[in-house]
Amino acid sequence: MFSQHTLSSNEPFSIVKRKVKSSEAELRFEKSENPVELRIAVSPLDAATANLEAKQSESLSFKQLKLQANNLWENKLSRINIKGGSNDDRVIFYTSLYRIYMSPADVTSNDHRYLGSDGQIYKADGWRYFSSWSIWDTFRSKFPLLVITEPTLMRDICRSLLSLYRTGKKNWSTVSESTPTVRTEHASILLLDAYRKGIRDLDFAIGYEGMKKEADELPMASPDQKLESAYDLWALSQIAGIMDNSSDEKKYREQSEKLFEDTWTREFMQITPAFEVMKNNGLYQGTRWQYRWAAPQYIDQMIRWVGKDTLSNQLSYFFDNNLYNQGNEPDIHVPFLFNRFGKPESSQQLVRNLLTKEMTHRYGGNSEFKIPYVGRAFKNHPEGYSPEMDEDDGTMSAWYIFASAGFYPLLVGGDSYELVSPIFDRISIDMGNGKTFEIKTKGRKTPEDIIKRITMNGKVVSNYSISHGEMLKGGTLLFQY
């Protein structure tokens, strides 16, 4: 938690009541014709820092501070500009973009110090230290989106995670961290993804021993944990390769491959009626159907074992029978898998329906609904989502942004995106390197039209995917119908 704060007011007040063992207090102000203005400065470290930061804002009026905040938000939300779509589509899009910035929190003092997870104070020279994580959820979509819209910010986020590995990374936050947050698993996948997509000034050596320690303690109690641990081990093997550590690269790659093969062939290859049961065989917040696809780095291996056509038919059954759960994270990448099975039109139709139409939701966050919910997954309404939607720190918001813009990171830790039909006519993305990446549509008469041809800067895209490197160069991705 933040350790110190400072409060000032333009009107005198007295403290009437202070709650024991709490930072809450009741303030009493004398009658005045003037609006009461309170200024609060918080510090992750000490009162001196809080006083200093409060002093630095005294020269700005409330209106100036409000304008400053408005300009900051305008800058962030204008990183992506859209045209077309319905008014609801546009409202949901920018509301979603706003939500991805709610965390993590910059907990660096103005003199560049921060509190490590071990309770010790460290210095962040030339960067900012972030805290407050929900990575089990957000590694899948939110952080890959921030790699695109906020590469400089993501560099500091990655450095913060490497520092966290060094000072003592736990699956849940320690008492020395700013927020009692949910889960930091899969941080190695997040770090690999950022590196693969151009954030190269990362010193993996800072956190490497912590990553290896984490790898030795990965959870293996249930089939879903084994699949997810195989993903972590795969990411660590990739990082070891980046560090030119060939022995560790081989060690973790072999561990990952064996763990995936043993688990998938035993638990997920042969489909049974039990596949539809939530939490079957100890699964966390999901069914065997939903976790069946949870190792995207090994899709080609699944194809070799089962066959592309068979997997494609099984995937169609999965969606046709409402076995997909848009409300939780384990299978949110699955709508884009048809691209890999040679049926891109199926991914296009499916993603568009998930974004814009009512669907039947059989599953909530932790169990099957007694009566399925029929309705929109995403909506322009105060409740925002279908019942029990695990928005989880911006994860589903980022999913919406990716999907509605027409591309999605099927394999986090890779460098490519699967392409589907965007719901907008034009999307312009500031790539943060002086380049602009545009997505345009041509010849579309109805939202249901199927893509006939895709070009990137005039060159035909034949496999319904695009690399991050191509996006970084800027230019135009054109969908023709």
Side-chain angles (χ1 to χ4, degrees):
M1 295 292 184
F2 288 108
S3 59
Q4 299 289 343
H5 68 273
T6 297
L7 181 147
S8 64
S9 172
N10 65 332
E11 294 289 326
F13 64 87
S14 57
I15 298 176
V16 179
K17 185 189 300 182
R18 186 188 296 274
K19 292 186 178 180
V20 179
K21 296 182 180 179
S22 171
S23 59
E24 296 180 22
E26 183 178 320
L27 309 181
R28 174 173 293 168
F29 293 85
E30 300 300 325
K31 288 184 179 180
S32 172
E33 299 296 324
N34 301 318
V36 173
E37 181 179 289
L38 291 178
R39 293 174 183 250
I40 302 173
V42 294
S43 169
L45 297 175
D46 49 51
T49 308
N51 287 331
L52 173 65
E53 292 172 358
K55 222 170 202 3
Q56 291 176 341
S57 71
E58 285 180 0
S59 61
L60 298 175
S61 68
F62 176 80
K63 287 184 178 180
Q64 289 172 320
L65 288 169
K66 181 181 178 182
L67 179 62
Q68 188 180 79
N70 286 342
N71 291 339
L72 286 170
W73 277 114
E74 180 63 27
N75 176 268
K76 291 191 177 298
L77 298 181
S78 64
R79 302 289 170 88
I80 307 179
N81 285 295
I82 56 175
K83 292 184 179 179
S86 70
N87 181 67
D88 279 355
D89 295 335
R90 293 188 294 272
V91 170
I92 296 170
F93 184 92
Y94 281 110
T95 303
S96 298
L97 189 55
Y98 166 80
R99 286 189 180 122
I100 73 166
Y101 286 107
M102 296 296 98
S103 72
D106 181 345
V107 293
T108 322
S109 66
N110 275 355
D111 56 358
H112 308 293
R113 295 180 299 151
Y114 67 90
L115 191 65
S117 58
D118 56 2
Q120 302 298 310
I121 294 176
Y122 296 88
K123 195 84 176 282
D125 289 321
W127 59 287
R128 307 291 293 179
Y129 182 79
F130 285 80
S131 182
S132 182
W133 309 102
S134 184
I135 302 177
W136 186 88
D137 314 284
T138 51
F139 91 91
R140 306 166 197 266
S141 60
K142 184 174 96 166
F143 286 111
L145 181 59
L146 288 173
V147 168
I148 297 171
T149 62
E150 298 278 355
T152 301
L153 178 69
M154 272 302 297
R155 180 202 65 175
D156 286 358
I157 285 171
C158 291
R159 288 181 175 180
S160 301
L161 285 171
L162 290 168
S163 178
L164 184 62
Y165 270 113
R166 179 184 62 186
T167 62
K169 175 182 170 297
K170 307 295 183 184
N171 285 345
W172 295 64
S173 63
T174 69
V175 295
S176 297
E177 293 172 80
S178 64
T179 310
T181 52
V182 182
R183 317 184 67 162
T184 63
E185 300 101 318
H186 312 314
S188 58
I189 304 173
L190 182 164
L191 289 164
L192 174 64
D193 190 68
Y195 182 88
R196 289 277 187 236
K197 292 172 181 171
I199 301 176
R200 297 295 170 86
D201 51 342
L202 300 177
D203 185 358
F204 284 114
I206 291 173
Y208 190 62
E209 290 305 313
M211 291 183 203
K212 291 175 66 174
K213 181 176 183 293
E214 183 177 64
D216 292 337
E217 301 170 353
L218 287 170
M220 302 284 183
S222 58
D224 57 308
Q225 288 182 346
K226 291 178 181 179
L227 281 186
E228 293 195 350
S229 293
Y231 202 166
D232 288 323
L233 290 167
W234 172 83
L236 185 53
S237 75
Q238 298 287 309
I239 290 171
I242 292 166
M243 298 177 67
D244 293 323
N245 188 330
S246 58
S247 60
D248 276 1
E249 188 278 331
K250 182 175 184 290
K251 170 186 172 182
Y252 293 119
R253 172 172 48 80
E254 291 177 348
Q255 285 183 12
S256 174
E257 290 173 351
K258 185 177 188 306
L259 181 58
F260 168 72
E261 181 173 352
D262 290 349
T263 305
W264 203 84
T265 55
R266 182 182 298 112
E267 300 284 350
F268 297 100
M269 182 181 286
Q270 301 301 324
I271 298 170
T272 71
F275 270 47
E276 298 185 18
V277 179
M278 178 73 87
K279 298 183 178 181
N280 177 250
N281 201 17
L283 298 180
Y284 177 70
Q285 294 186 347
T287 68
R288 290 201 198 194
W289 265 117
Q290 292 154 17
Y291 273 106
R292 189 175 196 241
W293 323 96
Q297 76 276 28
Y298 293 127
I299 293 298
D300 289 343
Q301 183 63 54
M302 296 180 200
I303 291 173
R304 284 192 289 271
W305 288 334
V306 179
K308 183 183 290 187
D309 290 342
T310 300
L311 277 175
S312 179
N313 291 335
Q314 291 170 345
L315 193 61
S316 294
Y317 180 91
F318 175 64
F319 285 104
D320 291 345
N321 290 274
N322 305 311
L323 300 170
Y324 170 68
N325 187 3
Q326 182 65 65
N328 212 330
E329 280 77 14
D331 61 348
I332 56 174
H333 63 289
V334 180
F336 305 88
L337 265 179
F338 282 111
N339 277 9
R340 297 289 298 275
F341 297 152
K343 293 186 177 180
E345 68 283 353
S346 295
S347 279
Q348 294 168 42
Q349 293 170 336
L350 178 59
V351 171
R352 183 187 62 250
N353 290 344
L354 291 170
L355 289 166
T356 64
K357 296 185 178 182
E358 288 190 347
M359 60 179 288
T360 299
H361 304 252
R362 284 181 56 178
Y363 301 96
N366 286 285
S367 62
E368 192 167 352
F369 289 128
K370 292 182 179 179
I371 300 175
Y373 166 75
V374 178
R376 293 275 298 269
F378 303 90
K379 45 193 173 183
N380 180 14
H381 187 275
E383 58 188 29
Y385 304 100
S386 57
E388 295 190 27
M389 173 78 89
D390 277 0
E391 157 67 349
D392 283 335
D393 208 23
T395 300
M396 294 303 181
S397 290
W399 187 95
Y400 183 92
I401 292 166
F402 271 123
S404 64
F407 65 107
Y408 192 83
L410 176 66
L411 174 61
V412 180
D415 67 346
S416 64
Y417 305 92
E418 299 300 316
L419 300 178
V420 294
S421 190
I423 64 174
F424 303 106
D425 298 328
R426 182 174 178 178
I427 302 102
S428 179
I429 304 173
D430 178 355
M431 297 300 295
N433 62 349
K435 303 288 186 179
T436 299
F437 175 66
E438 287 192 316
I439 301 169
K440 295 182 180 179
T441 63
K442 182 179 180 180
R444 182 164 60 183
K445 295 180 173 61
T446 71
E448 288 75 25
D449 287 355
I450 299 300
I451 298 168
K452 294 180 180 177
R453 189 169 183 260
I454 306 173
T455 60
M456 178 64 194
N457 292 334
K459 183 179 179 181
V460 174
V461 176
S462 59
N463 59 355
Y464 288 86
S465 72
I466 186 173
S467 73
H468 188 83
E470 290 177 283
M471 290 176 59
L472 282 174
K473 294 174 184 177
T476 300
L477 180 70
L478 180 64
F479 293 94
Q480 299 178 54
Y481 297 83

